Amino acid sequence: MAKPPGDRPPPILPIDQDQWREWLSGRRPAPIGVDAEIPGFEGVRLTVREAEDSLTQAADHLSLPRSLFSDGFNILAISGGAAGGAFGAGVLAGLTQAGKRPDFAIVTGVSTGALIAPFAFLGPDWDDRLTDAYTGGYAERAFALTRLSPAFGGGLFRADALEVLVNPFVDMALIEAVAREHARGRRLLVATTNLDTQQISIWDMGAIASRGGEAALNLSRNILIASASMPGIFAPRRFVFEHEGVTYEEMHVDGGVASPLFLMPAALLRWKGLGRRIRHGQIYVIVNTVLEAAPQTTATSMPAILIRSFDTLLRYSYHQALAMVSTFCAAHDLPLNVAAIQPTAQNSNMMNFETGHMRRTFAEAVARALTPDLWEHPTAAVPSDPFAFLKL
Protein backbone atom coordinates (compact mmCIF):
# COMPACT_ATOMS: atom_id res chain seq x y z
CA MET A 1 0.00 0.00 0.00
CA ALA A 2 1.27 3.46 -0.82
CA LYS A 3 2.64 5.32 2.19
CA PRO A 4 0.66 8.28 3.54
CA PRO A 5 1.78 11.79 2.58
CA GLY A 6 3.51 12.31 5.94
CA ASP A 7 5.90 9.45 5.19
CA ARG A 8 6.63 10.39 1.60
CA PRO A 9 8.38 13.38 0.10
CA PRO A 10 6.26 15.60 -2.11
CA PRO A 11 6.57 15.02 -5.87
CA ILE A 12 9.25 16.90 -7.70
CA LEU A 13 7.98 19.52 -10.11
CA PRO A 14 6.95 19.48 -12.87
CA ILE A 15 4.24 16.87 -12.21
CA ASP A 16 0.72 16.21 -13.43
CA GLN A 17 -2.50 16.36 -11.44
CA ASP A 18 -2.67 12.58 -10.98
CA GLN A 19 0.70 12.60 -9.21
CA TRP A 20 -0.46 15.34 -6.88
CA ARG A 21 -3.69 13.49 -6.11
CA GLU A 22 -1.75 10.32 -5.34
CA TRP A 23 0.55 12.16 -2.96
CA LEU A 24 -2.27 14.03 -1.20
CA SER A 25 -4.51 10.96 -0.80
CA GLY A 26 -1.75 8.67 0.43
CA ARG A 27 -2.54 5.89 -2.03
CA ARG A 28 -1.77 4.83 -5.60
CA PRO A 29 -4.75 3.62 -7.67
CA ALA A 30 -4.07 1.27 -10.56
CA PRO A 31 -4.14 3.05 -13.93
CA ILE A 32 -6.78 2.07 -16.48
CA GLY A 33 -5.54 -0.88 -18.53
CA VAL A 34 -3.40 -2.34 -15.73
CA ASP A 35 -4.82 -5.73 -14.72
CA ALA A 36 -3.86 -5.59 -11.07
CA GLU A 37 -4.86 -8.54 -8.87
CA ILE A 38 -5.41 -9.08 -5.17
CA PRO A 39 -2.52 -11.27 -3.98
CA GLY A 40 -3.75 -14.81 -3.47
CA PHE A 41 -7.02 -14.11 -5.31
CA GLU A 42 -5.93 -13.80 -8.88
CA GLY A 43 -8.70 -14.17 -11.46
CA VAL A 44 -11.65 -13.52 -9.13
CA ARG A 45 -12.67 -10.28 -10.83
CA LEU A 46 -14.55 -10.87 -14.07
CA THR A 47 -13.31 -8.37 -16.64
CA VAL A 48 -14.69 -8.47 -20.15
CA ARG A 49 -13.25 -6.43 -22.98
CA GLU A 50 -14.73 -6.28 -26.46
CA ALA A 51 -12.17 -8.68 -27.97
CA GLU A 52 -13.74 -11.89 -29.27
CA ASP A 53 -11.45 -14.20 -27.28
CA SER A 54 -12.18 -12.33 -24.06
CA LEU A 55 -15.94 -12.57 -24.64
CA THR A 56 -15.67 -16.28 -25.42
CA GLN A 57 -13.69 -16.92 -22.26
CA ALA A 58 -16.19 -15.02 -20.10
CA ALA A 59 -19.15 -16.76 -21.72
CA ASP A 60 -17.52 -20.15 -21.15
CA HIS A 61 -17.10 -19.19 -17.50
CA LEU A 62 -20.83 -18.49 -17.24
CA SER A 63 -22.11 -21.28 -19.49
CA LEU A 64 -22.97 -23.91 -16.92
CA PRO A 65 -23.92 -27.57 -17.40
CA ARG A 66 -27.68 -27.64 -18.05
CA SER A 67 -27.87 -31.14 -16.60
CA LEU A 68 -27.48 -29.57 -13.15
CA PHE A 69 -30.73 -27.65 -13.39
CA SER A 70 -34.01 -29.54 -13.59
CA ASP A 71 -36.11 -26.48 -14.47
CA GLY A 72 -33.80 -24.79 -16.96
CA PHE A 73 -30.89 -22.37 -16.99
CA ASN A 74 -32.28 -19.66 -14.72
CA ILE A 75 -30.58 -16.37 -13.87
CA LEU A 76 -31.58 -14.20 -10.90
CA ALA A 77 -30.54 -10.53 -10.71
CA ILE A 78 -31.19 -8.68 -7.41
CA SER A 79 -31.09 -4.90 -7.48
CA GLY A 80 -30.09 -2.27 -4.98
CA GLY A 81 -32.63 -0.38 -2.89
CA ALA A 82 -31.22 0.13 0.64
CA ALA A 83 -33.98 -0.72 3.17
CA GLY A 84 -36.03 -2.03 0.25
CA GLY A 85 -33.87 -5.15 0.46
CA ALA A 86 -36.48 -6.43 2.91
CA PHE A 87 -38.69 -6.86 -0.16
CA GLY A 88 -36.21 -9.13 -1.94
CA ALA A 89 -35.68 -11.17 1.21
CA GLY A 90 -39.45 -11.56 1.57
CA VAL A 91 -39.87 -12.59 -2.07
CA LEU A 92 -37.36 -15.42 -1.67
CA ALA A 93 -38.85 -16.60 1.62
CA GLY A 94 -42.34 -16.45 0.14
CA LEU A 95 -41.33 -18.43 -2.95
CA THR A 96 -39.94 -21.10 -0.65
CA GLN A 97 -43.22 -21.26 1.30
CA ALA A 98 -45.18 -21.46 -1.96
CA GLY A 99 -42.96 -24.24 -3.29
CA LYS A 100 -42.23 -22.14 -6.39
CA ARG A 101 -38.63 -21.10 -5.86
CA PRO A 102 -36.57 -21.74 -9.02
CA ASP A 103 -33.14 -23.33 -8.98
CA PHE A 104 -30.82 -20.54 -10.15
CA ALA A 105 -27.71 -21.27 -12.19
CA ILE A 106 -26.42 -17.71 -11.81
CA VAL A 107 -27.25 -15.20 -9.08
CA THR A 108 -26.10 -11.58 -9.26
CA GLY A 109 -26.44 -8.78 -6.73
CA VAL A 110 -25.81 -5.06 -6.38
CA SER A 111 -25.85 -2.99 -3.19
CA THR A 112 -28.48 -4.42 -0.82
CA GLY A 113 -29.02 -7.04 -3.53
CA ALA A 114 -25.42 -8.10 -3.00
CA LEU A 115 -26.21 -8.77 0.66
CA ILE A 116 -29.20 -10.92 -0.34
CA ALA A 117 -27.42 -12.72 -3.20
CA PRO A 118 -25.44 -15.32 -1.17
CA PHE A 119 -28.64 -16.53 0.52
CA ALA A 120 -30.54 -16.58 -2.77
CA PHE A 121 -27.64 -18.56 -4.21
CA LEU A 122 -27.56 -21.10 -1.38
CA GLY A 123 -31.30 -21.74 -1.38
CA PRO A 124 -34.15 -22.29 1.08
CA ASP A 125 -32.00 -23.82 3.82
CA TRP A 126 -30.62 -20.32 4.42
CA ASP A 127 -34.00 -18.53 4.59
CA ASP A 128 -33.95 -18.24 8.37
CA ARG A 129 -30.65 -16.40 8.31
CA LEU A 130 -31.81 -14.12 5.48
CA THR A 131 -35.07 -13.36 7.28
CA ASP A 132 -33.26 -12.49 10.50
CA ALA A 133 -30.84 -10.21 8.64
CA TYR A 134 -33.67 -8.04 7.28
CA THR A 135 -36.27 -8.24 10.04
CA GLY A 136 -34.17 -8.62 13.19
CA GLY A 137 -33.62 -4.89 13.77
CA TYR A 138 -29.92 -4.95 12.90
CA ALA A 139 -30.17 -2.10 10.36
CA GLU A 140 -31.96 0.22 12.76
CA ARG A 141 -29.33 -0.38 15.43
CA ALA A 142 -26.42 -0.14 12.99
CA PHE A 143 -27.56 3.24 11.67
CA ALA A 144 -28.37 4.79 15.05
CA LEU A 145 -27.11 8.33 15.65
CA THR A 146 -24.35 6.97 17.88
CA ARG A 147 -22.77 5.51 14.75
CA LEU A 148 -22.51 8.79 12.89
CA SER A 149 -19.05 9.27 11.43
CA PRO A 150 -16.78 12.11 12.53
CA ALA A 151 -16.38 14.96 10.08
CA PHE A 152 -14.52 14.09 6.88
CA GLY A 153 -14.82 10.38 7.64
CA GLY A 154 -15.81 9.47 4.07
CA GLY A 155 -19.48 8.87 4.89
CA LEU A 156 -22.33 9.89 7.16
CA PHE A 157 -22.05 6.68 9.18
CA ARG A 158 -18.97 5.14 10.72
CA ALA A 159 -17.06 2.60 8.65
CA ASP A 160 -18.15 -0.26 10.91
CA ALA A 161 -21.89 0.37 10.44
CA LEU A 162 -22.17 -2.08 7.54
CA GLU A 163 -19.85 -4.54 9.26
CA VAL A 164 -22.54 -4.90 11.94
CA LEU A 165 -24.97 -5.99 9.22
CA VAL A 166 -22.65 -8.23 7.22
CA ASN A 167 -20.18 -9.96 9.53
CA PRO A 168 -22.62 -11.89 11.78
CA PHE A 169 -24.38 -13.40 8.75
CA VAL A 170 -21.43 -13.99 6.42
CA ASP A 171 -19.36 -16.51 8.34
CA MET A 172 -17.12 -19.44 7.49
CA ALA A 173 -20.08 -21.81 7.16
CA LEU A 174 -21.57 -19.60 4.46
CA ILE A 175 -18.24 -19.28 2.63
CA GLU A 176 -17.79 -23.06 2.61
CA ALA A 177 -21.36 -23.53 1.32
CA VAL A 178 -20.77 -21.01 -1.51
CA ALA A 179 -17.57 -22.84 -2.44
CA ARG A 180 -19.44 -26.15 -2.68
CA GLU A 181 -22.06 -24.70 -5.01
CA HIS A 182 -19.36 -23.04 -7.11
CA ALA A 183 -17.69 -26.44 -7.49
CA ARG A 184 -20.98 -27.76 -8.91
CA GLY A 185 -20.70 -25.17 -11.67
CA ARG A 186 -23.05 -22.47 -10.37
CA ARG A 187 -21.98 -18.81 -10.23
CA LEU A 188 -22.50 -16.03 -7.65
CA LEU A 189 -21.53 -12.58 -8.91
CA VAL A 190 -21.48 -9.27 -7.00
CA ALA A 191 -20.78 -5.79 -8.38
CA THR A 192 -18.89 -2.85 -6.87
CA THR A 193 -17.94 0.48 -8.43
CA ASN A 194 -14.26 1.41 -8.73
CA LEU A 195 -14.31 5.16 -8.07
CA ASP A 196 -10.77 5.66 -9.37
CA THR A 197 -11.45 4.23 -12.84
CA GLN A 198 -15.21 4.92 -12.82
CA GLN A 199 -15.80 1.33 -13.90
CA ILE A 200 -17.87 -1.55 -12.58
CA SER A 201 -16.08 -4.50 -10.99
CA ILE A 202 -17.84 -7.87 -11.08
CA TRP A 203 -16.56 -10.32 -8.49
CA ASP A 204 -16.86 -14.10 -8.70
CA MET A 205 -17.76 -14.80 -5.09
CA GLY A 206 -17.63 -18.56 -5.59
CA ALA A 207 -14.07 -18.37 -6.87
CA ILE A 208 -13.15 -16.30 -3.82
CA ALA A 209 -14.85 -18.73 -1.45
CA SER A 210 -13.05 -21.63 -3.12
CA ARG A 211 -9.68 -20.24 -2.02
CA GLY A 212 -10.80 -20.93 1.56
CA GLY A 213 -9.65 -19.71 4.94
CA GLU A 214 -9.90 -16.41 6.78
CA ALA A 215 -8.56 -14.49 3.79
CA ALA A 216 -11.51 -15.64 1.65
CA LEU A 217 -13.96 -14.80 4.44
CA ASN A 218 -12.52 -11.31 4.94
CA LEU A 219 -12.41 -10.51 1.23
CA SER A 220 -15.98 -11.74 0.75
CA ARG A 221 -17.21 -9.57 3.60
CA ASN A 222 -15.35 -6.51 2.29
CA ILE A 223 -16.74 -6.91 -1.23
CA LEU A 224 -20.30 -7.20 0.08
CA ILE A 225 -19.78 -4.15 2.29
CA ALA A 226 -18.27 -2.19 -0.61
CA SER A 227 -21.19 -3.10 -2.88
CA ALA A 228 -23.62 -1.68 -0.29
CA SER A 229 -21.58 1.44 0.55
CA MET A 230 -23.75 4.24 -0.81
CA PRO A 231 -21.48 7.26 -1.46
CA GLY A 232 -21.80 9.93 1.19
CA ILE A 233 -23.73 7.59 3.47
CA PHE A 234 -21.06 4.94 4.08
CA ALA A 235 -17.31 5.22 3.76
CA PRO A 236 -15.75 3.60 0.66
CA ARG A 237 -13.88 0.32 0.94
CA ARG A 238 -10.24 0.09 -0.11
CA PHE A 239 -8.62 -2.96 -1.71
CA VAL A 240 -4.90 -3.61 -2.17
CA PHE A 241 -3.82 -4.95 -5.56
CA GLU A 242 -0.50 -5.84 -7.17
CA HIS A 243 0.80 -5.86 -10.73
CA GLU A 244 4.37 -6.66 -11.77
CA GLY A 245 5.67 -5.99 -8.29
CA VAL A 246 3.91 -2.65 -7.87
CA THR A 247 1.29 -2.24 -5.15
CA TYR A 248 -1.91 -0.29 -5.83
CA GLU A 249 -4.94 0.59 -3.75
CA GLU A 250 -8.41 0.94 -5.28
CA MET A 251 -11.41 2.69 -3.72
CA HIS A 252 -14.74 0.91 -4.22
CA VAL A 253 -18.30 1.99 -3.43
CA ASP A 254 -21.87 0.90 -4.08
CA GLY A 255 -22.21 -1.21 -7.22
CA GLY A 256 -25.43 0.66 -7.95
CA VAL A 257 -23.41 3.75 -8.85
CA ALA A 258 -22.30 1.96 -12.03
CA SER A 259 -25.30 -0.34 -12.52
CA PRO A 260 -28.49 -0.69 -10.42
CA LEU A 261 -28.71 -4.36 -11.48
CA PHE A 262 -26.97 -6.68 -13.93
CA LEU A 263 -27.37 -10.13 -15.43
CA MET A 264 -23.75 -10.32 -16.56
CA PRO A 265 -21.16 -7.87 -17.90
CA ALA A 266 -22.71 -5.46 -20.41
CA ALA A 267 -20.19 -6.46 -23.08
CA LEU A 268 -21.59 -9.99 -22.97
CA LEU A 269 -25.16 -8.76 -23.35
CA ARG A 270 -24.11 -7.09 -26.61
CA TRP A 271 -22.30 -10.19 -27.87
CA LYS A 272 -24.21 -12.05 -30.58
CA GLY A 273 -22.58 -15.37 -29.67
CA LEU A 274 -24.14 -15.54 -26.21
CA GLY A 275 -27.67 -16.59 -27.13
CA ARG A 276 -26.96 -20.23 -27.98
CA ARG A 277 -25.23 -20.69 -24.61
CA ILE A 278 -28.22 -19.82 -22.46
CA ARG A 279 -31.21 -21.18 -24.40
CA HIS A 280 -34.18 -22.69 -22.58
CA GLY A 281 -33.65 -20.54 -19.52
CA GLN A 282 -35.58 -17.82 -17.73
CA ILE A 283 -34.50 -14.46 -16.36
CA TYR A 284 -35.73 -13.31 -12.95
CA VAL A 285 -35.21 -9.78 -11.62
CA ILE A 286 -36.04 -8.63 -8.09
CA VAL A 287 -36.18 -4.83 -7.90
CA ASN A 288 -35.92 -3.63 -4.30
CA THR A 289 -37.58 -0.28 -4.93
CA VAL A 290 -40.70 1.30 -6.39
CA LEU A 291 -40.40 1.72 -10.15
CA GLU A 292 -43.43 3.93 -10.74
CA ALA A 293 -43.14 7.69 -10.32
CA ALA A 294 -44.66 9.08 -7.12
CA PRO A 295 -45.78 12.68 -7.80
CA GLN A 296 -45.70 14.92 -4.75
CA THR A 297 -44.91 18.50 -3.82
CA THR A 298 -41.20 18.91 -3.14
CA ALA A 299 -40.21 21.13 -0.22
CA THR A 300 -37.92 24.05 -1.03
CA SER A 301 -35.19 23.03 1.43
CA MET A 302 -31.84 21.82 0.11
CA PRO A 303 -32.06 18.35 1.75
CA ALA A 304 -35.55 17.78 0.30
CA ILE A 305 -34.44 18.84 -3.18
CA LEU A 306 -31.33 16.65 -3.04
CA ILE A 307 -33.25 13.60 -1.79
CA ARG A 308 -35.98 14.07 -4.39
CA SER A 309 -33.42 14.53 -7.17
CA PHE A 310 -31.51 11.42 -6.08
CA ASP A 311 -34.73 9.40 -5.99
CA THR A 312 -35.63 10.58 -9.50
CA LEU A 313 -32.18 9.70 -10.78
CA LEU A 314 -32.47 6.20 -9.33
CA ARG A 315 -35.88 5.57 -10.88
CA TYR A 316 -34.61 6.52 -14.33
CA SER A 317 -31.50 4.35 -13.93
CA TYR A 318 -33.65 1.35 -12.97
CA HIS A 319 -35.91 1.87 -15.97
CA GLN A 320 -32.89 2.08 -18.27
CA ALA A 321 -31.37 -1.08 -16.79
CA LEU A 322 -34.65 -2.95 -17.16
CA ALA A 323 -34.98 -1.73 -20.75
CA MET A 324 -31.59 -3.24 -21.54
CA VAL A 325 -32.58 -6.52 -19.86
CA SER A 326 -35.94 -6.58 -21.69
CA THR A 327 -34.25 -6.00 -25.04
CA PHE A 328 -31.70 -8.74 -24.34
CA CYS A 329 -34.42 -11.22 -23.36
CA ALA A 330 -36.52 -10.37 -26.42
CA ALA A 331 -33.51 -10.78 -28.71
CA HIS A 332 -32.82 -14.28 -27.35
CA ASP A 333 -36.42 -15.39 -26.71
CA LEU A 334 -35.87 -15.65 -22.96
CA PRO A 335 -38.88 -15.26 -20.63
CA LEU A 336 -38.43 -12.27 -18.29
CA ASN A 337 -39.96 -12.16 -14.81
CA VAL A 338 -39.75 -8.93 -12.77
CA ALA A 339 -40.94 -8.29 -9.21
CA ALA A 340 -40.83 -4.77 -7.74
CA ILE A 341 -42.18 -3.05 -4.63
CA GLN A 342 -45.76 -1.82 -4.94
CA PRO A 343 -46.13 1.97 -5.36
CA THR A 344 -47.65 3.11 -2.08
CA ALA A 345 -46.73 6.16 0.01
CA GLN A 346 -45.34 4.06 2.85
CA ASN A 347 -43.06 2.18 0.45
CA SER A 348 -41.53 5.23 -1.22
CA ASN A 349 -38.69 5.89 1.26
CA MET A 350 -35.85 3.46 0.64
CA MET A 351 -33.81 5.01 3.47
CA ASN A 352 -36.33 4.07 6.18
CA PHE A 353 -34.45 1.44 8.22
CA GLU A 354 -36.99 1.42 11.07
CA THR A 355 -37.51 -2.21 12.05
CA GLY A 356 -41.30 -2.11 11.91
CA HIS A 357 -41.21 -0.68 8.39
CA MET A 358 -38.78 -3.34 7.16
CA ARG A 359 -40.86 -6.11 8.71
CA ARG A 360 -43.98 -4.80 6.93
CA THR A 361 -42.11 -4.67 3.63
CA PHE A 362 -40.89 -8.24 4.17
CA ALA A 363 -44.38 -9.50 5.10
CA GLU A 364 -45.97 -7.83 2.05
CA ALA A 365 -43.40 -9.50 -0.19
CA VAL A 366 -44.04 -12.92 1.34
CA ALA A 367 -47.78 -12.47 0.83
CA ARG A 368 -47.32 -11.48 -2.82
CA ALA A 369 -45.01 -14.44 -3.45
CA LEU A 370 -47.80 -16.73 -2.30
CA THR A 371 -50.07 -15.43 -5.08
CA PRO A 372 -49.85 -15.81 -8.88
CA ASP A 373 -49.35 -12.02 -9.21
CA LEU A 374 -45.74 -11.66 -8.05
CA TRP A 375 -44.04 -11.53 -11.44
CA GLU A 376 -44.59 -8.99 -14.19
CA HIS A 377 -43.46 -9.92 -17.71
CA PRO A 378 -42.27 -6.79 -19.55
CA THR A 379 -41.52 -7.14 -23.23
CA ALA A 380 -39.45 -5.11 -25.64
CA ALA A 381 -39.56 -4.77 -29.41
CA VAL A 382 -36.38 -6.04 -31.03
CA PRO A 383 -34.82 -3.62 -33.56
CA SER A 384 -32.58 -4.85 -36.36
CA ASP A 385 -29.64 -4.14 -34.06
CA PRO A 386 -30.98 -5.03 -30.59
CA PHE A 387 -28.26 -3.11 -28.78
CA ALA A 388 -27.95 -0.06 -30.99
CA PHE A 389 -29.10 2.12 -28.09
CA LEU A 390 -26.08 0.99 -26.07
CA LYS A 391 -23.71 2.36 -28.69
CA LEU A 392 -25.03 5.93 -28.65
Side-chain angles (χ1 to χ4, degrees):
M1 185 182 300
K3 295 180 181 179
D7 294 339
R8 297 160 59 197
I12 300 174
L13 295 176
I15 61 169
D16 60 26
Q17 290 183 343
D18 288 339
Q19 287 176 293
W20 267 116
R21 279 194 289 267
E22 176 192 329
W23 181 72
L24 290 172
S25 68
R27 62 189 189 86
R28 179 192 292 119
I32 292 178
V34 172
D35 294 325
E37 303 269 17
I38 295 178
F41 291 91
E42 291 77 12
V44 301
R45 182 159 52 171
L46 186 60
T47 57
V48 181
R49 296 185 176 86
E50 299 295 339
E52 186 74 16
D53 58 345
S54 177
L55 290 170
T56 301
Q57 183 179 7
D60 286 342
H61 181 78
L62 298 176
S63 294
L64 315 182
R66 292 190 183 89
S67 59
L68 289 175
F69 311 106
S70 58
D71 57 349
F73 188 93
N74 299 317
I75 300 176
L76 171 65
I78 313 174
S79 84
F87 172 76
V91 165
L92 291 167
L95 287 172
T96 297
Q97 293 180 29
K100 298 178 181 178
R101 184 157 164 178
D103 186 13
F104 299 111
I106 298 175
V107 176
T108 75
V110 174
S111 194
T112 193
L115 306 185
I116 298 171
F119 305 102
F121 181 71
L122 293 177
D125 289 346
W126 294 77
D127 280 0
D128 288 346
R129 189 178 292 201
L130 175 61
T131 300
D132 187 31
Y134 277 89
T135 66
Y138 300 95
E140 185 175 14
R141 292 194 294 273
F143 305 145
L145 291 178
T146 54
R147 290 193 174 275
L148 288 178
S149 172
F152 309 110
L156 178 63
F157 293 98
R158 282 168 30 193
D160 64 352
L162 283 173
E163 294 176 7
V164 173
L165 292 181
V166 171
N167 291 1
F169 300 98
V170 179
D171 56 13
M172 193 62 73
L174 183 141
I175 296 301
E176 292 171 351
V178 169
R180 286 193 295 270
E181 292 304 308
H182 180 80
R184 291 182 60 223
R186 300 174 65 222
R187 296 293 178 262
L188 172 61
L189 307 175
V190 164
T192 62
T193 300
N194 183 339
L195 275 187
D196 298 310
T197 63
Q198 295 185 318
Q199 293 180 335
I200 191 170
S201 290
I202 297 179
W203 303 87
D204 186 337
M205 304 301 288
I208 293 170
S210 298
R211 307 295 166 94
E214 289 292 328
L217 173 61
N218 292 334
L219 180 57
S220 297
R221 286 173 169 174
N222 279 318
I223 289 171
L224 295 176
I225 290 170
S227 186
S229 294
M230 292 178 287
I233 305 298
F234 305 108
R237 225 60 183 181
R238 296 183 176 187
F239 296 88
V240 177
F241 292 78
E242 288 184 3
H243 179 71
E244 295 182 350
V246 180
T247 300
Y248 301 99
E249 187 181 67
E250 297 180 2
M251 180 181 287
H252 288 246
V253 295
D254 195 326
V257 171
S259 177
L261 60 91
F262 74 100
L263 297 180
M264 55 189 69
L268 269 180
L269 294 183
R270 296 194 296 266
W271 187 46
K272 294 180 180 179
L274 181 64
R276 61 184 174 81
R277 297 169 181 264
I278 56 172
R279 287 182 187 141
H280 311 300
Q282 293 205 45
I283 306 298
Y284 295 84
V285 178
I286 297 176
V287 181
N288 292 304
T289 190
V290 177
L291 290 173
E292 288 81 358
Q296 66 182 48
T297 301
T298 304
T300 57
S301 67
M302 181 179 293
I305 292 171
L306 289 175
I307 291 171
R308 187 66 171 167
S309 299
F310 182 67
D311 179 69
T312 303
L313 175 67
L314 281 180
R315 287 181 198 273
Y316 272 94
S317 68
Y318 277 104
H319 280 285
Q320 290 170 347
L322 281 172
M324 183 168 71
V325 171
S326 297
T327 304
F328 170 77
C329 290
H332 298 291
D333 196 26
L334 294 170
L336 174 60
N337 311 274
V338 178
I341 298 178
Q342 293 294 304
T344 63
Q346 66 186 30
N347 289 337
S348 62
N349 185 2
M350 294 298 101
M351 295 303 294
N352 183 357
F353 292 99
E354 192 269 327
T355 303
H357 171 74
M358 295 185 70
R359 286 175 177 170
R360 285 191 296 273
T361 301
F362 179 91
E364 289 173 7
V366 170
R368 278 184 61 196
L370 294 173
T371 74
D373 302 323
L374 173 64
W375 302 109
E376 300 288 338
H377 307 285
T379 58
V382 183
S384 56
D385 182 352
F387 298 100
F389 72 97
L390 293 173
K391 303 171 185 176
L392 298 178

